[in-house]
RNA sequence: GCGGCCAUAGCUCAGUUGGUUAGAGCACUAGAUUGUGAUUCUAGGGGUCGCGGGUUCGAUCCCCGUUGGCCGCCCCA
């Protein structure tokens, strides 16, 4: 029994574990590039203050933080948003707008292990800076959907719940609530799905009893499931802020509909995301069966860049986690079997044949073919077995007889047929076979 | 931070009402097989039975603690 293990909550990636992860990353990168997003990266270690500035002092409990040898308080990054805000903020005036960036990176949180959650995980992060209008939401939500569709998931596998903190603010303020009361109510709404009306205790404890009319009004908003529901409510209330905001909703949903994505999006004001820094539209992606934690989440955060020391810069972003994503893909049979197979497996007779084969092996590898061969002298039977198990489609046979005739045998491993080709035509023959 | 379940080979698991040297299948390595892949057969390596303590003549088994894992709660940037 090995005496060293990986730390709790951290994962080793053996080749068969890395293959699905590589698949996720490759598809995410492809989607982001298709949408014109540029990839960036950043340090894993950041100043602890960066996270305290964004989330408050309590955050430290959930961080991998320590004091470095220079006496600096530092933390492994638990998320990308503060970092990307810092980066964009520092060069905001030199960057062409809109700024469309993405990253794929590891994050660290000191939390209890659970299904779909570990202490080290990867996220795709996509953000748009410098666009205050709903066009940014259209682009970003459609990218989120594409990141999941690119992995083979369809509208009956997942959906995006779209909500809006501004709508709640305008609505609740129209009902007479002050800013603190609104924040308290958003906290309650965040819990409503799980706790039911018991969630309102969060509000009543801090702000006193809820009048029945307030509760009814909140429940009515929570019951909204479509744009037409929303239009009906807003029309009835005849409030200028709400009416203006409704135009944004029409634009976002209209844009997504024009992209053919209506089936992936549902209006659901029960999503508010606990974070205080979100300032407008917020959204979360879930699997339809609903037995996994959220696949992705995001929203608008127009004040954060400034709060972290940059200029005022509107922003909207989202993140997709790798762990829940992988669970869902595995459930749906959408993960690839093996990462890497050779194209060609070379069977060698003995020492002299091995040296003869090396020249051709090197030449084939030089032009990009994946070529493997046994390192020990083995019987032909064993070598063919290895060739089959390697997943190669083609075997090249370098035996005493072949070399004496100046040929090499090409064996089609699936058809069990072989042909002889002259040594100097091996590369061409391999190319013809593999491209056929 | 709180509760429930679990811990024997790389994996899946058996086992002993407490008793000599702890087993199987799969996987891995080698041989049967010195020029052709399946199946099969044979052999081999691999375990301080998670760790520590207690009870006992004797503990992988019973008790306590601890660590780790799974599930749920809290949290979830």
């Amino acid at each position: 029994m090995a005496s060293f293990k990986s730390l709790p909550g951290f994962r080793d990636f053996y080749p068969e574990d890395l293959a699905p992860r590589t698949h996720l990353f490759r598809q995410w990168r492809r989607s982001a590039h298709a949408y014109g997003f540029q990839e960036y990266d950043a340090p894993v270690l950041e100043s602890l203050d960066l996270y305290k500035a964004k989330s408050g002092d309590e955050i430290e409990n959930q961080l991998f933080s320590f004091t470095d040898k220079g006496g600096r308080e530092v933390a492994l990054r638990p998320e990308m948003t503060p970092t990307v805000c810092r980066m964009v903020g520092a060069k905001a005036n030199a960057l062409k707008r809109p700024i469309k960036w993405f990253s794929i990176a590891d994050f660290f949180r000191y939390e209890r292990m659970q299904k779909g959650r570990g202490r080290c995980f990867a996220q795709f992060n996509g953000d748009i800076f410098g666009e205050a209008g709903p066009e940014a939401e259209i682009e970003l939500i459609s990218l989120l959907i594409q990141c999941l569709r690119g992995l083979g998931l369809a509208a009956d596998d997942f959906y995006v719940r779209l909500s809006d903190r501004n709508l709640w603010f305008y609505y609740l303020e129209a009902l007479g609530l002050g800013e603190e009361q609104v924040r308290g109510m958003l906290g309650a709404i965040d819990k409503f799905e799980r706790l039911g009306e018991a969630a309102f205790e969060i509000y009543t404890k801090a702000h006193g009893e809820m009048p029945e009319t307030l509760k009814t009004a909140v429940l009515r908003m929570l019951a909204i499931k479509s744009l037409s529901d929303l239009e009906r409510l807003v029309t009835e209330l005849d409030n200028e802020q709400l009416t203006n905001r409704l135009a944004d909703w029409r634009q976002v949903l209209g844009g997504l509909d024009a992209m053919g994505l209506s089936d992936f999006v549902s209006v659901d004001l029960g999503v508010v995301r606990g974070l205080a820094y979100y300032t407008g539209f917020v959204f979360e992606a879930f699997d339809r069966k609903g037995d996994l934690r959220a696949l992705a989440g995001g929203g608008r955060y127009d004040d954060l860049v400034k709060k972290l020391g940059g200029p005022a810069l509107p922003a909207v972003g989202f993140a997709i986690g790798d762990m829940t994503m992988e669970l869902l893909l595995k459930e749906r049979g959408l993960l690839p079997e093996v990462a890497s197979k050779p194209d060609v497996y070379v069977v060698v007779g003995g020492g002299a044949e091995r040296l003869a084969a090396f020249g051709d092996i090197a030449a084939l590898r030089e032009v990009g073919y994946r070529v493997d061969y046994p390192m020990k002298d083995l019987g032909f039977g064993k070598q063919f077995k290895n060739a089959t198990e390697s997943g190669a489609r083609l075997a090249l046979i370098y035996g005493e007889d072949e070399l004496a005739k100046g040929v090499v045998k090409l064996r089609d491993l699936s058809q069990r047929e072989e042909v002889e080709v002259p040594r100097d035509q091996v590369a061409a023959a391999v190319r013809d076979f593999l491209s056929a």
Side-chain angles (χ1 to χ4, degrees):
Chain A
M1 191 65 74
S3 33
F4 291 108
K5 292 190 285 191
S6 66
L7 261 22
F10 287 79
R11 298 171 286 171
D12 288 326
F13 290 91
Y14 288 85
E16 63 271 27
D17 305 315
L18 189 61
R21 183 184 165 102
T22 303
H23 174 68
L24 290 189
F25 290 3
R26 182 179 297 138
Q27 296 306 324
W28 285 345
R29 205 165 257 128
R30 181 200 293 262
S31 296
H33 284 143
Y35 275 67
F37 280 63
Q38 293 188 292
E39 187 166 9
Y40 66 94
D41 201 354
V44 170
L45 203 60
E46 290 273 14
S47 158
L48 178 60
D49 287 339
L50 179 63
Y51 303 111
K52 285 186 173 173
K54 183 197 159 213
S55 308
D57 290 350
E58 331 74 66
I59 193 71
E60 190 169 353
N61 301 329
Q62 291 170 62
L63 296 177
F64 276 91
S65 60
F66 58 94
T67 305
D68 76 5
K69 291 181 182 178
R72 285 174 285 263
E73 293 283 322
V74 297
L76 291 171
R77 62 184 174 203
E79 59 167 328
M80 196 55 112
T81 305
T83 297
V84 71
C85 286
R86 175 174 65 69
M87 289 170 68
V88 168
K91 290 197 178 182
N93 295 329
L95 296 169
K96 196 163 175 62
R97 316 283 176 85
I99 301 157
K100 294 165 48 171
W101 283 9
F102 81 97
S103 63
I104 296 172
D106 280 333
F107 299 94
F108 304 85
R109 297 180 188 176
Y110 201 90
E111 294 188 286
R112 183 120 179 101
M113 275 284 279
Q114 226 173 97
K115 187 178 185 181
R117 189 168 77 178
R119 288 181 172 180
C120 175
F121 54 93
Q123 279 185 349
F124 173 96
N125 273 260
D127 294 272
I128 296 176
F129 296 89
E131 173 54 56
E135 287 301 325
E137 275 84 350
I138 295 172
E139 178 77 336
L140 205 64
I141 292 169
S142 64
L143 172 59
L144 164 57
I145 293 167
Q146 181 52 43
C147 282
L148 304 199
R149 291 180 78 186
L151 291 162
L153 296 167
D156 53 0
D157 294 311
F158 79 94
Y159 67 117
V160 176
R161 300 164 67 188
L162 180 62
S163 179
D164 181 4
R165 291 168 68 97
N166 281 357
L167 206 56
W168 276 111
F169 259 98
Y170 302 152
Y171 184 65
L172 293 171
E173 280 172 359
L175 289 163
L177 271 61
E179 188 173 334
E180 278 312 302
Q181 290 172 303
V182 171
R183 291 193 183 283
M185 187 60 78
L186 289 180
I189 291 162
D190 189 38
K191 310 280 185 231
F192 182 81
E193 189 161 338
R194 193 158 5 102
L195 302 179
E197 296 200 13
F200 291 131
E201 288 171 20
I202 293 168
Y203 177 84
T204 55
K205 271 183 188 155
H207 303 284
E209 283 304 306
M210 277 173 77
E212 202 58 30
T213 51
L214 176 57
K215 183 188 274 189
T216 307
V218 169
L219 291 175
R220 182 165 179 206
M221 188 82 145
L222 284 171
I224 287 175
K225 292 297 170 205
S226 67
L227 183 61
S228 52
D229 288 350
L230 186 59
E231 283 170 333
R232 206 169 301 126
L233 181 69
V234 170
T235 305
E236 190 180 307
L237 292 176
D238 192 26
N239 168 290
E240 191 183 346
Q241 283 181 307
L242 286 172
T243 304
N244 290 340
R245 190 54 172 166
L246 183 60
D248 292 339
W249 270 85
R250 287 199 182 103
Q251 193 176 344
V252 171
L253 292 173
L256 291 170
D257 184 45
M259 288 185 172
L261 301 177
S262 296
D263 291 347
F264 292 93
V265 181
S266 71
V267 177
D268 188 339
L269 294 161
V271 172
V272 295
R273 307 208 22 102
L275 314 170
Y277 67 82
Y278 283 114
T279 55
F281 285 106
V282 290
F283 48 90
E284 293 186 336
F286 288 87
D287 72 298
R288 291 269 184 197
K289 281 168 69 186
D291 43 25
L292 297 171
R293 61 177 60 244
L295 295 163
R300 182 166 281 279
Y301 50 99
D302 285 344
D303 303 330
L304 197 56
V305 176
K306 186 171 186 182
K307 190 175 175 186
L308 294 177
L313 191 64
V316 51
F318 73 88
I320 314 173
D322 70 321
M323 295 181 73
T324 304
M325 200 68 242
E326 207 176 307
L327 286 172
L328 178 61
L329 292 175
K330 191 171 184 181
E331 204 175 87
R332 302 298 154 89
L334 291 171
L335 287 178
E337 294 281 312
V338 191
S340 148
K341 303 172 176 179
D343 298 310
V344 178
Y345 192 93
V346 178
V347 171
V348 293
E353 293 81 11
R354 174 181 296 271
L355 289 178
F358 276 177
D360 291 345
I361 289 172
L364 287 168
R365 286 173 166 173
E366 180 78 20
V367 296
Y369 292 112
R370 302 177 181 194
V371 183
D372 204 3
Y373 64 92
M375 291 198 175
K376 282 182 232 172
D377 289 337
L378 297 169
F380 276 59
K382 181 72 88 182
Q383 290 193 63
F384 281 108
K385 187 177 177 187
N386 287 346
T388 306
E389 288 174 353
S390 76
R393 292 162 56 200
L394 183 65
L396 291 182
I397 303 163
Y398 288 77
E400 195 178 350
D401 302 346
E402 285 83 0
L403 291 184
K405 290 162 61 181
V407 301
V408 172
K409 267 189 191 142
L410 259 74
R411 184 175 175 85
D412 179 334
L413 286 164
S414 59
Q415 299 301 312
R416 303 186 175 217
E417 289 166 358
E418 51 194 41
V419 294
E420 290 186 348
V421 300
R423 281 282 307 276
D424 58 5
Q425 292 172 29
V426 167
V430 167
R431 190 190 58 225
D432 289 348
F433 179 88
L434 290 175
S435 58

